[in-house]
Amino acid sequence: MDAEIRSESGLPLAESYGPADLPPPEDLPAPGQFPFTRGNFPTGYRGRLWTFRQYSGFGTAEESNQRYKYLLEQGGTGLSVALDLPTQCGFDSDHPDVEEEVGRVGVAIDTLADFEILFDEIPLDQISTSMTINGTAAILLAFYVAAGEKQGVDRAKLRGTIQNDILKEYVSRGTWIWPPRPSLRLIADTIEFCATDVPRFNAISVAGAHFRDAGANAAQEMAFTLMDGVTYCDEVVSRGRMTIDEFAPQVSFFFYTHGDFFEEIAKYRAGRRRWARIVKERYGAKNDKSCMFRVGCVAGGASLYAPQAHNNIVRVAYEAMASVLGGVQSMFTAAWDEPFALPTEESTTLALRTQQVLAYETGVARVADPLGGSYYVEALTDAMEAKVIEIMTDLENRGGMVEAVEQGYLHSLIADEAFRVQQALDSGDRAVVGLNKFATGEPPPEVEGFELDEGGRRRQLERLAEVKRTRSAADVTATLGALEKAAATDDENLMPLLVDCAKAYCTVGEMVDVLKSQWGEFQQPVVF
Amino acid sequence: MPTRVLVAKPGLDGHDRGAKLVARALRDAGFEVIYLGIRQRPDAIAAIAVQEDVDVVGLSILSGAHVALTRKTHDALVEAGAGDIPMVVGGTIPQADVPKLQAAGAVAVYPTGTPLADLVEDLKRLVSTGQADAL
């Protein structure tokens, strides 16, 4: 007999599937019906196509502002803001340790003055803004609210998303600042604040994508992410100030789609069903909208390889199709040259075209959940859900996500899986065309490294110095003092105080340091 | 005495998959690995390299800031009187930047996709002969 054939997450696969493999009918109602296995909406993509959301941002606020205005003139309706690492980790641009990182992987933001420039002539009541920001998400949200007010836009009209998912930062993305428990408090503050004050804004995008890129398989990615979602909802609900139905519709999710086509489809279908049941059973949600698993994804990431790099175009296309057959709400398609370069305008355009061909030519968007009822896809969805439950139960039994993060347990699960995959690639057990199969040894195309614009950094430092010179020192002291006092206890929501700090032109670093003085810093478990 | 290798990520970039894979492969190959993790300051890396008396310093950088961070770490090693410890660099590194990294103090460069076995063999060669193949 042949060795057992398994999916990339290790789910055993039969030779073929038949009617006996279909789930009970209550697990498979029509699209748009709880538990949403077959999609959130009865009409699938007929009612609304998924959003094509390409990630970009660079240099200074002026340069990014020009780029955003261009994108909006081309018919875009949403912005996706990439922030530089100092902003993400809570350092001002003039901090001596971060000079080579200012403006490098995104735009540098130090004070409200930068946000005023970033969104100059961009009507914040008409566009939506997605910000990939976690450690300092609450501070950037405060800037956004304050920038809206400067434009005369009421905060109730602001639309967008902050990622705001710190748990995965501790494990796989690394932009942590404070320890888990006070960070969870701050996240719960933002969720409450959005529910009451900024109702059209998504307070959190719980992201499994970074677990996946760090090495987790599809089942782990889904299980870890749902556990993070549970941890955040537990935190808000346990305060007793808000019910699940008051905030759950503002919670969304974010994943990577990699190459195992049917497993990825099963992952999204299983995740939707599991989350719907968790929200109803664990928290007693009464509104079906609270139970909906709204998900964005990236096709690409660690599933792309540098050798024979043009093969990545094909990989991204298949991954994008799996994402759509899985029923995602928004997608970013990576450029083929991403494994070894900052993508060019040509390669990013091709990535966007890949989605457009999928949406407008292939016909996959014509019917909701086209694979619903497939013996194989339904069986794999069930197997994936069972695996996800198994992993989540293990984490619960070990004391939950915060414990798993602090003990390094999650780090070791991911490192183990990454190592297993690397060994399978090195041995050829996992085939990758161009890497370990049909390899030709051709070198990747020559590309130039990205040189930071020193002038941009200098302008950023000059602006920061100017803001510090002209702002009211008394207001800065007063607002930071109020923040420090409130951070010492759990009684008060910190968001209004952060908005006050933002309006007083306090810097990101100043706010972060005040909170560090009360909360300390995260100590990373060193596991490999 | 096993060969002692320090593995660290300078700068703010948190992508540590490669650094951890390398650390584990080296440990499995009999090296003694001192893994520092992400967000390490160059002067801290140099201080620990001296304190732990390592034979090789390995940096992993995927943010694009590899040239500046390699130079800073090299300067910190020299400052700490350990400029003779060979330093190698891995990560998302375009071919065109390899000479710049060499000028900044790296003796070998392992771009993303380097097979772990090749890297291990190359480090063994580096330690025994003072010369690496990869650059």
Side-chain angles (χ1 to χ4, degrees), chain A residues 24-102:
Chain A
E26 64 268 24
D27 279 359
L28 217 56
Q33 288 187 25
F34 184 90
F36 306 109
T37 314
R38 304 196 54 205
N40 288 337
F41 309 105
T43 55
Y45 295 120
R46 277 193 198 190
R48 185 176 176 179
L49 209 54
W50 70 91
T51 305
F52 309 164
R53 197 185 283 282
Q54 305 298 89
Y55 182 66
S56 76
F58 54 92
T60 59
E62 287 90 348
E63 292 166 290
S64 289
N65 174 258
Q66 290 302 317
R67 178 76 189 157
Y68 296 155
K69 280 197 277 199
Y70 169 78
L71 288 171
L72 294 174
E73 281 161 17
Q74 301 306 308
T77 54
L79 301 175
S80 178
V81 179
L83 283 318
D84 73 356
L85 284 167
T87 305
Q88 295 191 47
C89 296
F91 298 101
D92 290 336
S93 297
D94 57 2
H95 193 287
D97 285 352
V98 303
E99 58 175 331
E100 57 281 331
E101 318 251 20
V102 174

Side-chain angles (χ1 to χ4, degrees), chain A residues 380-402:
Chain A
L380 199 57
T381 301
D382 288 354
M384 178 59 80
E385 187 182 13
K387 188 75 191 172
V388 166
I389 290 172
E390 181 192 315
I391 298 168
M392 291 179 76
T393 305
D394 173 50
L395 289 165
E396 289 244 37
N397 289 343
R398 287 169 180 273
M401 262 339 226
V402 171

Side-chain angles (χ1 to χ4, degrees), chain A residues 463-476:
Chain A
R463 177 155 62 236
L464 177 55
E466 174 71 16
V467 168
K468 284 185 177 172
R469 207 163 35 240
T470 54
R471 67 187 182 176
S472 155
D475 288 355
V476 170

